[in-house]
């Protein structure tokens, strides 16, 4: 009675192989693969395809299971026996060991023309589910998917009698001898491997054997590793390698895994894969003509390499193509690429058998793999070969992976938890291979992708959230719609269609795997078309799954790292488009920008090109530019920071690159006010800084030296220039160039540069200016002082615009009044500039009059700019002021006469004259004293060496004389120095002395200016003192005395200027003479004058 197999699972038959240049053996039972067993007959193969249950007749036991004759019969029987006995279709090991033969269903021959994915397992599981959402879901209706036979539809198993104890003992002893010694020669190695294989057949009924294998597992794995390593990597016809694969397969079917479970077993798996995939290329048809009985798997066999050419080639000669197709399962017209390396027919046949044994070995590992743990390990080892730069290695790996996927799809019985977590990675690799430049690789990958789609459907069904059943139903419906548009067998010519189909099944983590794997392929320099495929996959995936990505920074990081190796312009643009899609989605915008800004500045040419060529939809450009701008603005909102944030510098450089690219020009127009102000504020923050003053993230430059010419300021200046040019502000740019505006912005006079640019913008681009003013209304109070000063400086200059009249009082005069009391003098200056601009609008003057007291207080400031601005404002308001305010103002202005700062000196006299003219007739008494007190100063300053001051003094003096209704002598308007014209001086002194008598002490005023720092003023004042004494009231002089005058004049005798010393000595003499003259003499002098008048 046949014994059931251990584990109860079926053995794997060789799957029908799709067209490829790699040699494959004819599908057969795994135990016959590589043993030299004859082919099944045509009828037997058809019977297998129909999943018949015929049993193979048992053979009598052999005491010597490796005896010569039986081995020869098993390995190389006559080809004619294939047509005469059913037993010929059985593997030699079944006949020798009595183990059962398991027949595995092969896929139909139409597989290569359509997807042929078996979904019946998924349908069966659907029928059992309690979820009503899937009651009406028929996945088999999906276009291109055909149901394959269920894995349980297998041939019945045939068993032979087990080994007796003596045979088992003999096997164990022979294996132990090898474990204690070493293998020498190919024959010993083959004997050892076949002994292990035979011993594996006893595991299901002999516990002693099982215990022996478990105890010596590490030693067995070590010996197998040694055998693999000893095989030359340039040998295509290694019998030991083939036998080793079959041995591992036999153990796998007995649930004894030699390739998984420990580190040394994992190493063995890697060695076996490398030993096959790294073999040299061989030029051969996809399926070599099968040599049947002429091949040998034992030393005792006939060596075909010793036979003649006719004998060696007769095995495949004259074969009928149709018959060959039935025997091999492959269209005979498919051939590989030409290669100078040519193996003999025998080598090619042995290579084909070895390769098929290797394939079956790997497939046997996934036949019973409910958690996909084995498949995960196999994929990890296959991955580097699937991405190999060598065509033949990549072709072999793709063929093997396609066969593994087909096998897995046929025997898939998933259970949680699943160990395979690299679905996105695998899908990406297969998609890339579908676009491989080697046609055979692309076709193999396309077929493997068909099976992967079936696996993915089952996998997603098993792992789905039961509460999310409706979502899976919608996904499958979408998949059905996609597949209805085209045949899936076109995957190899249109790999981007894989993205459209698989995208609906991949979760966010798998999408990340897909895109990371695709990005890694961009470094595939030997094959530019791989870059092209990767670019298409990326852009397609982004368009279809734009909102389901995770770990976007990691993706962007890989993209940036790959930019330098992408050689094709079209691929570079696709990568840029991928980044553009990421950055244009609000969900990812800030994340992508943050990562792109974490690169050394100035950006390298690849990253600069990315910034310049961003291809964002027109409707999204403003959003992207705005978010980039916000990165910069947030740095300015920080009130205190020791160092400048690196993001501010990087964002400035990014803005420069974006504006240089001109792709976001429309957005630059829309955001011009925000961009301009942010860049001006950045310039202000950057003045005087170097990169050492920037908080650079650790490791960013990785040992690179930052050029000394690179500073935060240079990025801000060039970005501002580019903004003006890109927004057609050419005239403003020209004004800045001609007036050294950029130099002003770079230095301590930053605000002067801001004023210049604001005025240029107001004159040439009034629309931009108005938009900027409205923007600045809320922006002024943000950030630190530099932020506020730049904003306020631009704002106050724009108040000249008529639009400023529409601003609420709170944002105009009230705000400016607050700044007048600010401790920072710069804010006072800005407030006065703003008031000066507002006062130009007549409608605003009434509001501004309320701040006149503050403006008058500003006249006492030591800062020249503040005083000048206050005077300029008062000049506009002087006609609207009342007499009391005018009197207060004239008193303050009088104190500014003679100020060493020429601007203040001149403008104070000008404003004084305007105030005199503004006084109403009824209010003259209020200001008359101020006017009288100004006469002597104005007369003296008419002798100033500064022509503007002298001229203005004469003009204002004339206004004062008109106010007093005096007619000034013409000598007042003499432009020559008075000290050289004593007669004119006498007449002037006589005029002012007589007119001022009893009103002001003109001598006191004149004496004050004898200490003036300007020589012309001192000289004229001293000259006037001497002459005015003659016209002074003697009683007044006698009452006060002349000592105080004489003392001042004596000090002037020490002056270094000779002319002044002479004039001072003359004045001193006159004063002394007037002071010492007796009263009688004075009376006589008066009488003489009287008589002379009567006589005349």
């Amino acid at each position: 009675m046949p014994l059931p197999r251990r584990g109860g699972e079926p053995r794997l038959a060789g799957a029908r192989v799709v067209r490829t240049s790699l040699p494959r053996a004819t599908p057969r039972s795994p135990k016959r693969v590589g043993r030299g067993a004859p082919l099944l007959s045509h009828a037997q193969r058809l019977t297998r395809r129909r999943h018949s249950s015929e049993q193979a007749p048992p053979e009598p036991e052999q005491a010597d299971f490796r005896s010569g004759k039986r081995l020869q019969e098993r390995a190389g029987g006559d080809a004619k026996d294939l047509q005469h006995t059913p037993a010929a279709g059985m593997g030699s090991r079944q006949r020798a060991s009595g183990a059962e033969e398991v027949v595995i269903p092969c896929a139909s021959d139409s597989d290569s023309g359509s997807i042929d994915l078996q979904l019946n397992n998924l349908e069966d599981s659907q029928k059992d589910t309690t979820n009503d959402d899937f009651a009406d879901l028929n996945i088999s209706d999906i276009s291109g998917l055909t149901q394959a036979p269920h894995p349980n539809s297998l041939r019945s198993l045939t068993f032979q009698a087990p080994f007796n104890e003596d045979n088992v003992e003999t096997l164990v002893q022979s294996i132990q001898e090898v474990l204690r010694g070493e293998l020498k020669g190919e024959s010993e190695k083959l004997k050892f491997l076949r002994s292990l294989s035979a011993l594996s057949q006893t595991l299901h009924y002999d516990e002693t054997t099982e215990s022996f294998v478990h105890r010596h597992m590490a030693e067995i794995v070590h010996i197998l590793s040694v055998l693999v390593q000893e095989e030359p990597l340039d040998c295509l016809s290694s019998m030991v390698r083939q036998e080793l694969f079959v041995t591992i397969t036999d153990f796998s079917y007995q649930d004894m895994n030699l390739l998984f479970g420990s580190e040394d077993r994992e190493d063995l798996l890697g060695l076996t894969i490398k030993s096959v995939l790294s073999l040299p290329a061989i030029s051969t048809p996809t399926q070599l003509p099968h040599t049947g009985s002429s091949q040998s798997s034992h030393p005792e066999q006939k060596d075909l390499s010793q036979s003649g050419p006719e004998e060696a080639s007769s095995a495949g000669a004259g074969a009928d193509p149709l018959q060959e197709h039935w025997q091999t399962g492959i269209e005979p017209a498919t051939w590989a690429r030409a290669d100078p390396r040519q193996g003999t027919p025998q080598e090619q046949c042995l290579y084909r058998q070895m390769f098929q044994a290797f394939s079956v070995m790997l497939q046997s590992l996934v036949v019973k793999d409910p958690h996909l743990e084995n498949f995960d390990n196999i994929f990890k080892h296959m991955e580097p070969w699937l991405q190999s730069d060598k065509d033949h290695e990549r072709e072999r790996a793709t063929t093997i992976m396609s066969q593994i996927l087909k096998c897995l799809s046929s025997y898939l019985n998933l259970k949680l938890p699943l160990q395979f977590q690299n679905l996105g990675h695998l899908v990406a690799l297969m998609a890339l291979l579908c676009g491989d430049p080697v046609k055979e690789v692309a076709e193999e990958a396309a077929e493997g992708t068909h099976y992967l789609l079936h696996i993915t459907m089952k996998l997603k069904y098993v792992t789905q959230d039961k509460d999310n059943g409706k979502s899976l139903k919608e996904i499958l419906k979408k998949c059905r719609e996609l597949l209805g548009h085209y045949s899936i067998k076109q995957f190899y010519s249109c790999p981007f269609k894989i993205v459209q189909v698989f995208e609906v099944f991949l979760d966010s983590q798998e999408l990340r795997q897909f895109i990371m794997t695709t990005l890694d392929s961009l470094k595939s320099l030997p094959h530019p078309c791989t870059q092209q495929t990767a670019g298409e996959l990326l852009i397609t995936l982004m368009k279809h799954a734009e909102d389901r990505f995770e770990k976007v920074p990691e993706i962007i990081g890989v993209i940036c790292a790959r930019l330098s190796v992408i050689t094709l312009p079209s691929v570079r643009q696709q990568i840029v488009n991928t980044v553009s899609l990421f950055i244009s989605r609000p969900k990812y915008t800030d994340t992508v920008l943050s990562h792109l800004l974490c690169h050394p500045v100035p950006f390298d040419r690849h990253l600069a090109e990315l910034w310049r060529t961003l291809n964002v939809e027109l409707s999204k450009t403003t959003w992207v530019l705005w978010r980039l701008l916000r990165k910069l603005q947030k740095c300015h909102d920080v009130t205190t920071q020791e160092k400048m944030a690196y993001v501010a510098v990087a964002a400035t450089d990014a803005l420069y690159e974006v504006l240089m690219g001109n792709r976001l020009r429309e957005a630059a127009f829309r955001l011009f006010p925000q961009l301009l102000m942010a860049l001006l504020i950045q310039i202000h923050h950057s003045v005087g800084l170097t990169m050492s003053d920037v908080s650079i993230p650790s490791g960013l430059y990785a040992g690179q030296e930052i050029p000394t010419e690179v500073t935060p300021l240079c990025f801000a200046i060039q970005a501002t220039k580019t903004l003006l040019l890109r927004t057609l502000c050419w005239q403003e740019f020209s004004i800045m160039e001609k007036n050294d505006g950029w130099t002003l912005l770079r230095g301590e006079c930053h605000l002067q540069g801001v004023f210049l640019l604001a005025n240029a913008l107001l004159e040439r681009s009034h629309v931009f200016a108005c938009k900027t003013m409205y923007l600045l209304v809320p922006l002024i109070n943000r950030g630190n002082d530099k932020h506020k000063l730049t904003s306020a400086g631009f704002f106050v200059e724009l108040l000249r615009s008529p639009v400023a009249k529409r601003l609420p009082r709170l944002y105009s005069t009230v705000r400016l009044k607050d700044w007048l009391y600010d401790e920072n003098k710069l804010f006072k200056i800005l407030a006065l500039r703003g008031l000066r601009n507002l006062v130009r609008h007549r409608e605003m003057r009434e509001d501004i009059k309320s701040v006149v007291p503050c403006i008058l207080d500003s006249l006492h400031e030591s800062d020249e700019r503040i005083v000048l601005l206050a005077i300029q404002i008062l000049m506009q308001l002087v006609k609207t002021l009342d007499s009391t305010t005018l009197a207060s103002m004239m008193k303050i202005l009088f104190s500014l006469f003679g100020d060493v700062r020429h601007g203040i000196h001149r403008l104070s006299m000008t404003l004084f004259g305007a105030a005199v003219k503004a006084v109403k007739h009824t209010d003259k008494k209020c200001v008359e004293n101020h006017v009288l007190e100004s006469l002597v100063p104005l007369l003296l300053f008419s002798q100033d060496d500064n022509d503007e001051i002298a001229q203005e003094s004469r003009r204002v003096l004339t206004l004062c004389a008109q106010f007093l209704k005096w007619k000034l002598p013409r000598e007042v308007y003499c432009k020559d120095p008075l000290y050289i014209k004593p007669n004119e001086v006498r007449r002037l002194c006589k005029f002012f002395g007589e007119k001022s008598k009893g009103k002001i002490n003109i001598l006191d005023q004149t004496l004050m200016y004898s200490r003036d720092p300007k020589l012309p003023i001192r000289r004229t004042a001293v000259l006037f003192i001497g002459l005015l004494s003659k016209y002074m009231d003697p009683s007044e002089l006698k009452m006060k005395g002349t000592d105080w005058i004489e003392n001042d004049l004596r000090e002037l005798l020490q002056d270094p200027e000779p002319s002044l010393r002479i004039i001072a000595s003359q004045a001193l003499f006159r004063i002394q003479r007037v002071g010492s003259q007796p009263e009688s003499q004075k009376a006589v002098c008066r009488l003489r004058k009287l008589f002379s008048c009567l006589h005349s």
Side-chain angles (χ1 to χ4, degrees):
M1 178 178 179
L3 295 174
R5 288 192 75 249
R6 181 184 180 89
E9 80 282 0
R11 294 198 180 193
L12 178 67
R16 187 200 56 74
V17 186
V18 296
R19 291 173 292 183
T20 177
S21 63
L22 294 172
R24 298 180 181 172
T26 308
R28 62 183 68 182
S29 171
K31 293 190 175 184
R32 283 199 296 273
V33 174
R35 301 299 190 193
L39 289 170
L40 295 175
S41 66
H42 185 188
Q44 288 172 315
R45 295 184 64 83
L46 291 177
T47 302
R48 174 170 294 180
R49 287 194 181 93
R50 300 185 183 96
H51 312 291
S52 64
S53 59
E54 65 177 278
Q55 296 182 348
E59 291 213 352
E61 273 187 35
Q62 299 290 334
D64 185 3
F65 66 97
R66 293 288 184 184
S67 60
K69 183 176 181 182
R70 177 57 67 186
L71 287 174
Q72 288 182 0
E73 290 177 358
R74 183 168 65 245
D78 191 352
K80 294 184 295 182
D81 296 340
L82 182 65
Q83 307 295 334
H84 298 309
T85 173
M90 296 177 55
S92 57
R93 188 166 295 159
Q94 286 85 340
R95 285 175 282 159
S97 64
E100 75 281 10
E101 176 184 48
V102 181
V103 181
I104 302 302
C106 296
S108 65
D109 290 328
S110 62
D111 286 352
S112 60
S114 62
I115 186 167
D116 290 340
L117 299 179
Q118 299 82 22
L119 295 178
N120 50 326
N121 283 349
L122 184 55
E123 289 179 337
D124 292 342
S125 60
Q126 287 174 216
K127 294 174 183 178
D128 298 334
T129 185
T130 58
N131 192 343
D132 296 336
D133 289 335
F134 288 89
D136 59 344
L137 181 60
N138 185 7
I139 302 178
S140 60
D141 293 340
I142 295 179
S143 173
L145 301 183
T146 58
Q147 293 189 16
H150 194 279
N152 292 332
S153 302
L154 304 173
R155 283 183 62 180
S156 300
L157 306 179
T158 301
F159 302 97
Q160 295 184 2
F163 287 113
N164 56 36
E165 293 183 3
D166 293 338
N167 291 341
V168 173
E169 184 65 25
T170 302
L171 288 174
V172 171
Q173 290 178 0
S174 65
I175 293 172
Q176 284 181 329
E177 291 178 0
V178 175
L179 298 180
R180 292 192 294 266
E182 59 179 352
L183 294 172
K184 297 181 180 179
E186 183 179 12
S187 60
E188 291 187 9
K189 296 177 182 179
L190 293 174
K191 181 179 178 181
F192 168 72
L193 292 172
R194 288 165 183 159
S195 298
L196 275 179
S197 184
L199 187 65
S200 69
Q201 310 306 312
T202 68
L203 292 175
H204 67 282
Y205 60 82
D206 193 327
E207 295 182 359
T208 303
T209 303
E210 185 176 5
S211 176
F212 169 78
V213 173
H214 279 294
R215 288 199 312 271
H216 297 280
M217 177 62 72
E219 300 168 83
I220 294 173
V221 171
H222 174 70
I223 292 178
L224 294 179
S225 299
V226 172
L227 292 179
V228 174
Q229 292 174 342
E230 289 179 350
E231 290 301 301
L233 293 179
D234 59 349
C235 178
L236 296 172
S237 55
S238 171
M239 290 297 303
V240 174
R241 188 183 291 120
Q242 177 181 338
E243 193 72 31
L244 184 144
F245 297 154
V246 177
T247 300
I248 295 174
T249 303
D250 288 341
F251 272 91
S252 297
Y253 282 125
Q254 300 299 331
D255 288 343
M256 186 73 69
N257 203 322
L258 300 181
L259 299 180
F260 303 121
S262 64
E263 185 177 352
D264 54 345
R265 299 188 204 180
E266 292 280 351
D267 294 340
L268 177 58
L269 174 61
L271 289 172
T272 57
I273 291 176
K274 179 180 179 180
S275 68
V276 174
L277 300 185
S278 64
L279 289 173
I282 180 171
S283 178
T284 178
T286 302
Q287 282 293 328
L288 295 169
H290 186 56
T291 55
S293 60
S294 61
Q295 64 184 9
S296 174
S297 61
H298 298 283
E300 296 85 358
Q301 286 182 252
K302 180 179 179 181
D303 188 358
L304 291 181
S305 63
Q306 303 299 324
S307 60
E310 297 82 0
E311 186 177 354
S313 61
S314 61
D320 178 63
L322 181 59
Q323 179 67 19
E324 180 182 353
H325 169 67
W326 281 113
Q327 291 179 348
T328 63
I330 297 299
E331 289 83 349
T334 309
W335 295 83
R337 300 171 311 285
D339 192 291
R341 180 188 298 271
Q342 293 288 343
T344 64
Q346 292 76 19
E347 289 177 337
Q348 294 173 359
C349 291
L350 291 176
Y351 168 73
R352 180 194 62 203
Q353 293 177 343
M354 179 273 299
F355 189 84
Q356 186 67 12
F358 173 69
S359 175
V360 173
M361 177 194 75
L362 295 180
Q363 293 177 58
S364 68
L365 301 175
V366 300
V367 169
K368 187 179 181 182
D369 189 18
H371 303 291
L372 297 183
E373 183 177 7
N374 295 348
F375 178 72
D376 184 55
N377 289 327
I378 292 174
F379 175 63
K380 290 177 181 177
H381 285 86
M382 291 290 295
E383 177 188 349
W385 300 100
L386 291 170
Q387 302 178 78
S388 173
D389 292 337
K390 298 179 180 179
D391 293 346
H392 66 279
E393 292 178 353
R394 198 168 61 258
E395 185 178 353
R396 288 172 182 154
T398 307
T399 301
I400 293 298
M401 182 54 67
S402 178
Q403 294 176 355
I404 293 173
L405 290 172
K406 181 174 183 178
C407 175
L408 184 62
S409 68
S410 300
Y411 297 94
L412 198 62
N413 185 20
L414 297 176
K415 295 180 181 178
L416 297 177
L418 298 178
Q419 300 298 322
F420 182 66
Q421 303 295 331
N422 293 304
L423 178 61
H425 186 30
L426 177 58
V427 173
L429 278 180
M430 299 303 291
L432 289 167
L433 290 170
C434 286
D436 197 274
V438 181
K439 181 180 178 182
E440 291 77 5
V441 174
E443 292 179 349
E444 285 286 352
E447 182 161 342
T449 306
H450 301 167
Y451 304 124
L452 180 58
L453 178 57
H454 170 225
I455 296 170
T456 301
M457 289 179 176
K458 288 188 177 181
L459 188 148
K460 290 301 176 180
Y461 181 79
V462 172
T463 59
Q464 67 153 336
D465 186 353
K466 295 304 180 183
D467 297 332
N468 199 24
K470 185 176 181 180
S471 176
L472 180 60
K473 179 179 179 180
E474 293 174 353
I475 288 174
L476 293 173
K477 181 180 179 181
K478 182 178 179 180
C479 180
R480 183 186 300 113
E481 293 174 354
L482 287 171
L483 298 180
H485 293 147
Y486 49 79
S487 174
I488 311 179
K489 65 183 179 182
Q490 297 177 356
F491 275 168
Y492 74 93
S493 59
C494 300
F496 66 89
K497 294 181 180 178
I498 297 176
V499 176
Q500 300 177 14
V501 175
F502 277 87
E503 171 268 326
V504 296
F505 295 104
L506 302 182
D507 58 28
S508 58
Q509 176 66 18
E510 291 161 349
L511 287 173
R512 186 191 69 84
Q513 294 174 357
F514 185 100
I515 202 167
M516 295 298 288
T517 304
T518 308
L519 289 172
D520 285 340
S521 68
L522 293 175
K523 60 185 178 182
S524 180
L525 298 179
H527 297 291
C529 63
T530 302
Q531 291 187 355
Q532 184 71 35
T533 302
E536 293 178 0
L537 293 176
L538 284 175
I539 199 68
T540 305
L541 183 63
M542 272 302 304
K543 290 179 179 178
H544 288 81
E546 57 186 15
D547 296 325
R548 296 194 293 118
F549 289 99
E550 292 181 354
K551 297 185 179 180
V552 174
E554 183 180 353
I555 295 172
I556 300 300
V558 176
I559 288 178
C560 294
R562 295 288 179 268
L563 285 174
S564 59
V565 299
I566 302 175
T567 55
L568 295 177
S570 59
V571 178
R572 292 181 70 87
Q573 188 56 50
Q574 287 175 330
I575 297 303
V576 171
N577 291 343
T578 301
V579 177
S580 302
L581 287 172
F582 269 121
I583 207 172
S584 63
R585 300 301 181 262
K587 180 179 179 180
Y588 307 121
T589 303
D590 289 340
T591 304
V592 175
L593 288 176
S594 297
H595 191 84
L596 290 178
L597 295 177
C598 289
H599 286 80
V601 292
F603 298 127
D604 60 46
R605 62 185 183 90
H606 304 292
L607 196 56
E609 179 189 3
L610 187 149
W611 283 112
R612 296 184 184 190
T613 56
L614 283 176
N615 189 15
V616 181
E617 297 177 13
L618 186 61
S619 59
K620 305 283 183 67
T621 54
T622 304
W623 164 255
V624 174
L625 191 58
W626 166 246
R627 296 314 301 170
L628 177 58
L629 177 62
R630 283 297 297 154
K631 295 288 184 182
L632 180 59
Q633 290 177 335
K634 287 180 180 179
C635 299
H636 298 160
D637 292 340
V638 180
T639 55
T640 57
Q641 54 182 0
E642 295 181 1
K643 288 189 173 184
M644 177 178 287
Y646 180 79
V647 174
V649 183
T652 306
D653 193 18
L655 285 172
Y656 163 71
E657 298 295 349
V658 167
L659 293 171
M660 282 292 294
N662 206 27
R663 291 292 184 94
L664 305 183
R665 185 177 179 183
E666 295 295 331
F669 275 101
R670 294 189 184 98
L671 298 176
F672 177 83
Q674 294 90 334
L675 288 168
L676 180 61
M677 292 313 306
L679 292 174
L680 288 176
I681 293 170
Q682 177 64 16
I683 291 174
H684 199 171
H685 281 88
S686 303
V687 172
L689 299 185
T690 63
M691 290 302 291
S692 61
D693 300 312
V694 178
S695 180
I696 301 176
S698 59
L700 181 63
Y701 282 86
Q704 303 177 26
E705 292 187 3
I706 305 176
T708 55
E709 64 273 10
V710 174
T711 62
L713 184 59
C714 71
F715 294 121
I717 291 290
Q718 69 181 6
T720 307
K721 291 180 178 180
T722 308
L723 174 64
L724 292 178
L725 294 174
R726 284 303 186 197
T727 52
L728 305 181
C729 296
W730 299 324
Q731 294 182 356
E732 293 85 340
F733 183 87
S734 177
I735 291 173
M736 292 293 289
E737 290 281 344
K738 291 179 180 179
N739 295 277
D740 293 330
W742 306 118
T743 304
L744 292 174
L745 287 174
R746 292 175 182 271
E748 295 298 328
C749 300
H750 171 77
L751 285 177
Q752 296 298 323
V754 172
F755 299 153
L756 179 63
L757 182 56
N759 283 295
L761 192 68
L762 187 60
E763 293 175 7
R764 305 297 180 180
S765 302
H766 192 262
V767 174
F768 276 160
C770 293
K771 290 182 178 179
T772 306
M773 183 173 63
Y774 284 125
L775 165 73
L776 290 173
V777 168
L779 186 65
I780 291 177
N781 293 327
R782 295 180 185 173
N784 55 20
D785 283 350
K786 291 184 177 181
H787 186 292
K788 294 177 181 177
L789 283 172
T790 303
S791 303
F794 211 94
F795 175 74
V796 298
E797 291 304 304
L798 297 180
L799 291 177
R800 291 195 299 117
S801 170
V803 180
K805 295 183 291 185
R806 305 175 189 171
L807 291 177
R809 186 171 178 270
L810 178 65
Y811 299 122
S812 55
T813 54
V814 174
R815 175 176 285 174
L816 296 177
K817 183 178 179 180
D818 293 339
W819 290 350
L820 284 174
Y821 293 102
D822 197 285
E823 295 179 357
N824 192 333
K825 289 185 178 181
L826 292 176
F827 278 106
K828 292 183 179 180
I829 294 173
L830 295 176
L832 292 171
R833 289 184 72 95
L835 291 172
R836 183 191 64 180
N837 292 328
L838 282 178
V839 81
R840 297 171 183 264
H841 312 301
R842 295 184 180 275
E843 300 85 345
M844 303 292 294
R845 290 181 180 178
E846 284 300 320
D847 287 339
I848 297 175
K849 283 177 62 176
S850 63
V851 298
V852 167
C854 300
I855 300 173
L856 291 176
D857 291 339
S858 301
L859 294 175
H860 298 289
E861 291 286 345
S862 59
D863 193 300
E864 180 180 6
R865 295 171 294 179
I866 295 177
V867 177
L868 290 176
L869 288 168
I871 293 174
Q872 292 171 7
I873 297 170
L874 292 171
M875 287 287 293
Q876 299 291 330
L877 295 173
V878 67
K879 293 182 180 180
T880 64
L881 301 179
D882 58 77
S883 59
T884 304
T885 305
L886 285 174
S888 301
M889 182 180 70
M890 293 172 71
K891 182 178 179 180
I892 298 172
L893 291 173
F894 181 76
S895 66
L896 297 177
F897 287 2
D899 197 291
V900 295
R901 297 164 293 188
H902 293 171
I904 295 178
H905 186 178
R906 183 176 62 84
L907 287 179
S908 63
M909 292 188 298
T910 303
L911 180 58
F912 190 90
V916 171
K917 289 179 65 176
V919 175
K920 297 179 181 178
H921 181 73
T922 56
D923 299 327
K924 284 188 176 182
K925 290 295 182 180
C926 297
V927 298
E928 184 176 2
N929 287 336
H930 297 301
V931 174
L932 288 171
E933 290 176 354
S934 68
L935 295 176
V936 171
L938 292 172
L939 179 61
L940 293 175
F941 288 130
S942 66
Q943 298 299 303
D944 197 291
D945 53 2
N946 187 309
D947 292 340
E948 291 182 350
I949 293 177
Q951 184 178 354
E952 188 65 19
S953 298
R954 288 190 287 268
R955 190 185 70 83
V956 176
L957 182 60
T958 303
L959 293 176
C960 292
Q962 292 173 355
F963 176 84
L964 298 172
K965 296 182 179 180
W966 293 358
K967 184 177 180 181
L968 294 175
R970 66 176 181 274
E971 287 81 5
V972 172
Y973 305 102
C974 180
K975 295 183 179 180
D976 295 329
L978 291 178
Y979 73 90
I980 65 175
K981 294 185 177 183
N983 294 329
E984 284 80 353
V985 175
R986 288 189 182 94
R987 282 192 288 270
L988 286 174
C989 290
K990 179 180 179 181
F991 176 83
F992 283 101
E994 293 176 351
K995 290 288 186 180
S996 302
K997 188 176 297 185
K999 297 180 180 179
I1000 59 172
N1001 191 338
I1002 191 171
L1003 189 61
D1004 288 349
Q1005 278 190 303
T1006 308
L1007 189 61
M1008 286 174 43
Y1009 287 95
S1010 65
R1011 303 182 186 90
D1012 194 272
K1014 293 184 178 181
L1015 177 60
I1017 306 301
R1018 293 202 308 273
R1019 193 160 46 198
T1020 305
V1022 173
L1023 181 61
F1024 277 19
I1025 291 172
L1027 296 174
L1028 282 173
S1029 61
K1030 184 177 180 179
Y1031 303 100
M1032 294 294 294
D1033 186 358
S1035 61
E1036 184 179 353
L1037 281 176
K1038 186 176 181 180
M1039 183 180 61
K1040 290 184 177 180
T1042 59
D1043 293 341
W1044 55 281
I1045 301 176
E1046 293 176 6
N1047 291 335
D1048 287 347
L1049 292 176
R1050 286 190 181 96
E1051 291 179 3
L1052 293 175
L1053 293 176
Q1054 307 301 322
D1055 194 276
E1057 174 58 37
S1059 62
L1060 182 60
R1061 291 199 301 269
I1062 294 172
I1063 295 174
S1065 64
Q1066 293 174 351
L1068 181 61
F1069 174 76
R1070 290 189 179 100
I1071 293 296
Q1072 290 174 343
R1073 189 177 62 177
V1074 171
S1076 61
Q1077 187 177 8
E1079 190 65 29
S1080 59
Q1081 186 175 0
K1082 293 179 180 179
V1084 171
C1085 292
R1086 286 196 293 270
L1087 289 173
R1088 286 178 180 176
K1089 291 180 180 179
L1090 179 61
F1091 290 146
S1092 63
C1093 291
L1094 293 174
H1095 179 72
S1096 59

